[in-house]
Amino acid sequence: GAGVSQSPSNKVTEKGKDVELRCDPISGHTALYWYRQRLGQGLEFLIYFQGNSAPDKSGLPSDRFSAERTGESVSTLTIQRTQQEDSAVYLCASSLWDTQVPQHFGDGTRLSIL
Amino acid sequence: QQQVKQSPQSLIVQKGGISIINCAYENTAFDYFPWYQQFPGKGPALLIAIRPDVSEKKEGRFTISFNKSAKQFSLHIMDSQPGDSATYFCAASMGGGADGLTFGKGTHLIIQP
């Protein structure tokens, strides 16, 4: 596709459930990033992939959060045992190299935990 | 924790006026300062960026001014248009990469026709 694609666009789930968020980066981009954006806040870094490896997982807020990337393309962010404080927009971005800041982000997945 | 402080939180400017958003940083290791524009329901998009070896960068109606000694930088939008109404985020990075990219909290800009 032409841009970064994320699915689902919206997700509502009950507290305690697991959720999986998907990101399809721009074709050929080796670097992929996940950010979290809480209402009225800036972007909070979660994790970054260089190819299929994740050299920096320091932003993951707890061990309930995990992410993987396969085939140097699609990435999934999984949140286990969701809590209400996980409610946010989860944004994915990609760039050609990891020496570039993200040029474009996907439109995000708006996650609401009831 | 690395911080980038952004102000104002919200800004209303008349069409044709100049919009000015300010940011300040603490970590002198930051060496790349991008600005992002975000429309409602959309992801941010890179707008313009500057390195600390220059004091100003201009792209069309958008200008970044950089003051290294004061550790401050600002975005100026000249001849502001209603289509510029969006949330603007400043950010700071080490090494130019997204690893370590730290965002300000954003400025909600409204351009009144």
Side-chain angles (χ1 to χ4, degrees), chain A residues 34-61:
Chain A
W34 284 97
Y35 288 84
R36 178 168 69 178
Q37 185 175 28
R38 290 197 166 111
L39 187 64
Q41 300 295 311
L43 278 70
E44 176 187 358
F45 171 76
L46 296 178
I47 189 170
Y48 137 70
F49 287 91
Q50 173 60 21
N52 292 338
S53 66
D56 188 351
K57 304 179 182 179
S58 63
L60 294 177

Side-chain angles (χ1 to χ4, degrees), chain A residues 10-97:
Chain A
N10 286 283
K11 178 72 177 179
V12 180
T13 192
E14 294 179 346
K15 176 183 173 182
K17 300 287 189 182
D18 297 352
V19 295
E20 189 173 276
L21 313 179
R22 177 186 170 106
C23 172
D24 285 279
I26 294 171
S27 178
H29 280 197
T30 60
L32 185 147
Y33 314 90
W34 284 97
Y35 288 84
R36 178 168 69 178
Q37 185 175 28
R38 290 197 166 111
L39 187 64
Q41 300 295 311
L43 278 70
E44 176 187 358
F45 171 76
L46 296 178
I47 189 170
Y48 137 70
F49 287 91
Q50 173 60 21
N52 292 338
S53 66
D56 188 351
K57 304 179 182 179
S58 63
L60 294 177
S62 77
D63 58 8
R64 296 185 296 106
F65 288 71
S66 63
E68 64 176 20
R69 187 181 186 195
T70 56
E72 293 198 357
S73 59
V74 65
S75 175
T76 54
L77 177 69
T78 301
I79 309 174
Q80 296 179 309
R81 306 182 302 282
T82 52
Q83 303 294 314
Q84 288 187 331
E85 63 262 28
D86 300 335
S87 295
V89 176
Y90 290 82
L91 291 160
C92 175
S94 68
S95 59
L96 196 56
W97 308 293

